[in-house]
């Protein structure tokens, strides 16, 4: 069984965190055990309350909310890594979201090509057209756990 940890650092994202977690709940990844770890990086708004209210929309995905003193997004990601149980890691910022097929697409790419890292930098949406900028669609090999990064969406 594929085990995936999705890591979301958040700072004062009360207005966006629900949309982010909803985009995770809309992912399709059959047979996977998924956990979401959100690290509230010292928010002064009600980000933690908004995170807590999302457990129901994520079910059966396990949601873990961690609060820390303000240390920056990198430190929040590193803190989440301490708790991550997945063999695969995915990172998503708290003001971004994923296309519905993001995890399925990236996991298929990782497994079909026996890769360790899949990264996407630029999804272009212009008027009614949208496409992935192939110049920025990077797939590379690295050591350690697999990392899936967000295909950004404007």
């Amino acid at each position: 069984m594929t085990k995936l940890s999705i890591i979301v650092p958040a700072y004062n994202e009360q207005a966006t965190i629900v949309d982010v977690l909803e985009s995770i709940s809309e992912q399709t990844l059959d047979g996977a055990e998924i956990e979401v770890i959100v690290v509230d990086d010292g928010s002064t708004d009600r980000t933690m309350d908004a995170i807590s209210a999302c457990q129901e929309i994520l079910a059966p995905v396990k949601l873990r909310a961690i609060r820390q003193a303000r240390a920056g997004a990198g430190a929040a990601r590193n803190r989440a890594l301490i708790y991550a149980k997945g063999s695969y890691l995915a990172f998503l910022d708290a003001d971004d979201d994923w296309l519905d097929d993001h995890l399925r697409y990236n996991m298929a790419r990782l497994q079909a090509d026996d890769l360790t890292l899949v990264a996407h930098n630029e999804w272009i949406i212009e008027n009614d057209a949208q496409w992935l900028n192939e110049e920025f669609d990077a797939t590379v090999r690295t050591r350690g756990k697999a990392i899936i990064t967000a295909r950004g969406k404007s």
Side-chain angles (χ1 to χ4, degrees):
M1 172 184 290
T2 300
K3 291 186 178 182
L4 173 67
S5 297
I6 301 170
I7 295 171
V8 182
Y11 175 70
N12 287 345
E13 298 293 351
Q14 174 186 353
T16 61
I17 195 69
V18 173
D19 290 339
V20 170
L21 296 174
E22 283 178 351
S23 85
I24 293 170
S25 75
E26 293 166 358
Q27 297 299 304
T28 55
L29 194 57
D30 295 333
E33 183 179 317
I34 301 173
E35 69 176 344
V36 177
I37 304 169
V38 182
V39 178
D40 181 331
D41 188 39
S43 295
T44 57
D45 65 359
R46 298 185 59 125
T47 296
M48 280 298 283
D49 293 338
I51 295 166
S52 297
C54 290
Q55 181 62 60
E56 191 173 303
I57 66 167
L58 281 170
V61 171
K62 180 182 175 185
L63 173 62
R64 177 185 295 235
I66 300 167
R67 183 162 173 81
Q68 70 178 23
R70 181 87 174 117
R77 288 184 191 96
N78 289 339
R79 177 88 182 270
L81 289 172
I82 294 168
Y83 298 95
K85 295 179 181 162
S87 301
Y88 295 91
L89 303 171
F91 295 93
L92 179 61
D93 288 339
D95 61 351
D96 208 349
D97 61 349
W98 282 334
L99 300 173
D100 293 348
D101 65 344
H102 176 77
L103 290 178
R104 183 186 52 75
Y105 170 85
N106 284 292
M107 290 303 297
R109 183 85 183 263
L110 276 169
Q111 294 166 346
D113 296 329
D114 193 27
L115 301 172
T116 307
L117 171 74
V118 175
H120 302 275
N121 290 341
E122 191 171 324
W123 185 259
I124 301 168
I125 299 175
E126 188 174 292
N127 299 323
D128 291 330
Q130 50 184 308
W131 65 93
L132 181 64
N133 185 341
E134 296 298 331
E135 292 177 26
F136 293 100
D137 184 12
T139 306
V140 298
R141 295 179 189 273
T142 188
R143 294 185 180 161
K145 290 185 176 181
I147 301 171
I148 305 172
T149 62
R151 282 191 290 168
K153 168 172 128 170
S154 305

